[in-house]
Amino acid sequence: AAMARICRALLPSLLLLLHSPGACGAPPQPRGSLCRTKPTDLVFIIDSSRSVRPHEFDKIKVFVSRVIEALDVGPNATRVGVINYASAVRSEVSLQSPQSRPALLQAVRRIQPLSTGTMTGLAIQFAVSRAFSATEGGRASAPNFRKVAIVVTDGRPQDGVQDVSARARAAGIEIFAIGVGRVDMGTLRQMASEPLDEHVDYVESYSVIEKLTHKFQEAFCVVSDLCATGDHDCEQLCVSSPGAYSCACRDGFSLNSDGRTCTACSGGLGSALDLVFLIDGSKSVRPENFELVKKFINQIVDSLEVSDKQAQVGLVQYSSSVRQEFPLGQFKNKKDIKAAVKKMSYMEKGTMTGQALKYLVDSSFSAINGARPGVPKVGIVFTDGRSQDYISDAAKKAKDAGFRMFAVGVGNAVEDELREIASEPVAEHYFYTADFRTISKIGKKLQMKICVEEDPCECKSIVKFQTKVEDLINSLQQ
């Protein structure tokens, strides 16, 4: 189910990716940002039982620190506390401790694991009766105020959690439960607040827990309509997005490099594009999710202008081997491309990403397979797991050949591999998510133009983005 939601969420992001931010009437790049946090009493409840090794406990501390770094911390803003537990419970940071970001981060760095049992229920009871109490710095509830506990655990508790968690929630404490490794998922659901799909998270190991940071940074962010406070020197349009604003231009104009002024388009004939999808068909994807991947491809195809002189699309599926589903230029219109995608069968074997990248370099963008000389070449690699072969040489060859490579990873995909695949600047050409709810800002991260930079007005012939994408996103969300 998570894979299904991820695919649906990735679609609008890749539509943004395939559209030049300089195109006429295009969505602009975010310029200003503001992410204030509403007043919150936030208490981390972290498991340091003997099953958590010292280097793993360090990963928990990094996760806690990253969340704190994004908060609006202060006595009258968000206050942070940390409870460390195993067989016993220890208050490491109270809500009345010095509430400055440097002081909190230093306190977190000093925490040491207890390395005994796993009394999770006792730790939650400690939070209710002491950590959130007025004597420890807890504040009375108010309409614009939150009490939040984030529980991180990797095992089955040695005591009960259901009743004490219910008492915590009844006291107005919102509980997020993060499970790691061989955690008991039923226990997480007993602890967490409703809706469970927003309050229960799982990661396969402590080495990837930091990937949940973005979700919790967003959870505490207050969305501000910055354009309501002024036009911010935008020449034509100011556009608000969560915690940010950007300048835009009316149809018939393109945004200049200063991100503020606009230039009238000359009405060019348009740029061509050769786009190849490289899709993971390994057994970890699962058949029902593979159908969603196909739908994901076709929704992107819907946004393109497909013809001999404009966009051409190719599709390659890989698992333990590589299979070209159809080459560039075989299909001359969107209808035929979409029909071919729907007919694609699921390979359901291993994950040979390196072999697939080599095929992309050697074959997919070759003239014999429909690639056009002088036309920009773009590869979108979609994977959900670690490659079973080496990817370094093929990834380097793809970029050295001038192909613009985007890497999109979900689930157990390895971020180091995604970075190796992605073009420069790497941070703008790859995206990873361990949780579909963190995808809401992928569009900002991947708003990279694929079409020719010299004349952004021409990009509109590649993607007719202006009006149809908003309707498409709305329909997908429904």
Side-chain angles (χ1 to χ4, degrees):
M3 180 68 178
R5 292 188 290 258
I6 287 169
C7 287
R8 290 197 298 269
L10 276 172
L11 171 62
S13 304
L14 283 176
L15 286 173
L16 285 170
L17 175 155
L18 288 168
H19 175 69
S20 166
C24 299
Q29 295 283 8
R31 292 180 64 233
S33 63
L34 175 64
C35 185
R36 296 178 292 104
T37 52
K38 68 169 61 178
T40 302
D41 282 353
L42 170 61
V43 174
F44 293 90
I45 303 174
I46 56 176
D47 181 352
S48 68
S49 57
R50 65 174 62 92
S51 61
V52 183
R53 298 174 182 175
H55 72 277
E56 294 175 328
F57 192 69
D58 287 340
K59 296 290 186 182
I60 299 176
K61 293 195 292 183
V62 169
F63 164 71
V64 172
S65 297
R66 293 290 181 266
V67 175
I68 291 173
E69 285 172 352
L71 298 175
D72 183 15
V73 175
N76 299 315
T78 294
R79 297 182 187 177
V80 177
V82 182
I83 295 172
N84 181 15
Y85 80 93
S87 293
V89 182
R90 187 163 69 196
S91 176
E92 302 285 0
V93 180
S94 76
L95 295 174
Q96 64 182 354
S97 299
Q99 292 294 313
S100 69
R101 195 174 290 109
L104 289 170
L105 295 176
Q106 185 177 18
V108 170
R109 283 193 295 270
R110 290 197 298 261
I111 299 174
Q112 296 297 316
L114 300 174
S115 300
T116 51
T118 311
M119 301 293 284
T120 310
L122 181 65
I124 296 172
Q125 179 58 51
F126 183 93
V128 175
S129 60
R130 182 170 171 183
F132 284 104
S133 68
T135 56
E136 291 295 313
R139 292 169 287 185
S141 298
N144 292 321
F145 175 80
R146 300 171 70 183
K147 290 185 178 182
V148 177
I150 299 177
V151 183
V152 182
T153 182
D154 79 334
R156 186 183 296 274
Q158 296 171 325
D159 57 355
V161 299
Q162 188 168 8
D163 292 342
V164 68
S165 298
R167 289 196 296 272
R169 296 192 299 267
I173 300 171
E174 182 180 3
I175 302 178
F176 291 88
I178 300 175
V180 184
R182 291 177 292 180
V183 70
D184 176 49
M185 295 302 293
T187 298
L188 298 182
R189 289 189 285 270
Q190 288 176 3
M191 290 189 286
S193 296
E194 294 284 349
L196 292 179
D197 63 348
E198 293 181 7
H199 289 84
V200 175
D201 291 280
Y202 171 80
V203 290
E204 62 274 15
S205 69
Y206 284 107
S207 64
V208 294
I209 191 172
E210 193 178 344
K211 294 170 183 175
L212 291 177
T213 300
H214 190 72
K215 169 197 169 172
F216 288 98
Q217 289 173 341
E218 282 195 312
F220 299 108
C221 181
V222 174
V223 176
S224 300
D225 183 1
L226 299 188
C227 290
T229 65
D231 61 11
H232 300 282
D233 293 326
C234 296
E235 183 180 28
Q236 293 188 1
L237 303 173
C238 179
V239 180
S240 290
S241 55
Y245 75 87
S246 49
C247 296
C249 300
R250 294 188 291 270
D251 287 346
F253 293 83
S254 65
L255 190 67
N256 294 327
S257 59
D258 62 7
R260 182 177 58 84
T261 61
C262 301
T263 299
C265 292
S266 59
L269 296 176
S271 301
L273 172 71
D274 285 347
L275 169 64
V276 174
F277 291 95
L278 196 60
I279 300 298
D280 183 351
S282 59
K283 59 187 175 184
S284 61
V285 175
R286 301 194 304 181
E288 64 272 22
N289 291 327
F290 190 70
E291 292 303 310
L292 292 169
V293 174
K294 292 196 286 185
K295 180 179 178 182
F296 153 77
I297 296 170
N298 278 344
Q299 294 284 14
I300 295 174
V301 170
D302 268 333
S303 73
L304 302 173
E305 287 299 312
V306 177
S307 73
D308 287 334
K309 295 183 179 180
Q310 296 175 309
Q312 290 192 155
V313 177
L315 177 60
V316 174
Q317 183 188 169
Y318 71 95
S319 59
S320 295
S321 58
V322 182
R323 184 171 74 204
Q324 178 172 256
E325 303 294 346
F326 54 84
L328 290 163
Q330 177 174 334
F331 301 111
K332 309 299 183 185
N333 57 67
K334 289 186 277 191
K335 180 181 177 181
D336 291 344
I337 292 175
K338 292 169 65 177
V341 171
K342 288 179 181 178
K343 291 178 183 177
M344 176 173 57
S345 60
Y346 177 33
M347 296 177 76
E348 200 172 359
K349 293 182 181 177
T351 310
M352 303 294 281
T353 312
Q355 186 179 344
L357 286 167
K358 185 176 186 301
Y359 183 90
L360 186 81
V361 174
D362 295 341
S363 300
S364 294
F365 287 125
S366 65
I368 196 171
N369 278 313
R372 296 164 292 180
V375 171
K377 308 292 190 294
V378 178
I380 298 178
V381 183
F382 186 99
T383 181
D384 84 328
R386 179 184 293 273
S387 178
Q388 295 172 328
D389 60 354
Y390 293 106
I391 68 167
S392 299
D393 290 345
K396 183 176 185 300
K397 285 181 180 178
K399 290 177 285 190
D400 288 347
F403 307 153
R404 181 165 288 184
M405 301 295 295
F406 292 90
V408 180
V410 296
N412 293 320
V414 179
E415 284 199 78
D416 286 345
E417 291 185 356
L418 299 178
R419 292 188 186 98
E420 201 160 9
I421 293 169
S423 293
E424 295 288 349
V426 171
E428 295 174 331
H429 285 78
Y430 93 97
F431 184 78
Y432 172 87
T433 181
D435 188 292
F436 78 98
R437 294 181 295 273
T438 66
I439 294 226
S440 60
K441 295 199 175 182
I442 184 174
K444 296 177 188 175
K445 188 174 181 182
L446 294 180
Q447 277 182 353
M448 278 295 297
K449 59 177 173 284
I450 286 177
C451 40
V452 181
E453 296 182 16
E454 286 74 8
D455 188 357
C457 291
E458 294 187 352
C459 299
K460 66 178 182 179
S461 66
I462 297 178
V463 185
K464 282 187 176 177
F465 187 91
Q466 292 90 319
T467 56
K468 70 168 65 171
V469 71
E470 185 175 352
D471 294 338
L472 178 58
I473 291 172
N474 288 337
S475 67
L476 285 173
Q477 289 175 338
Q478 291 170 1

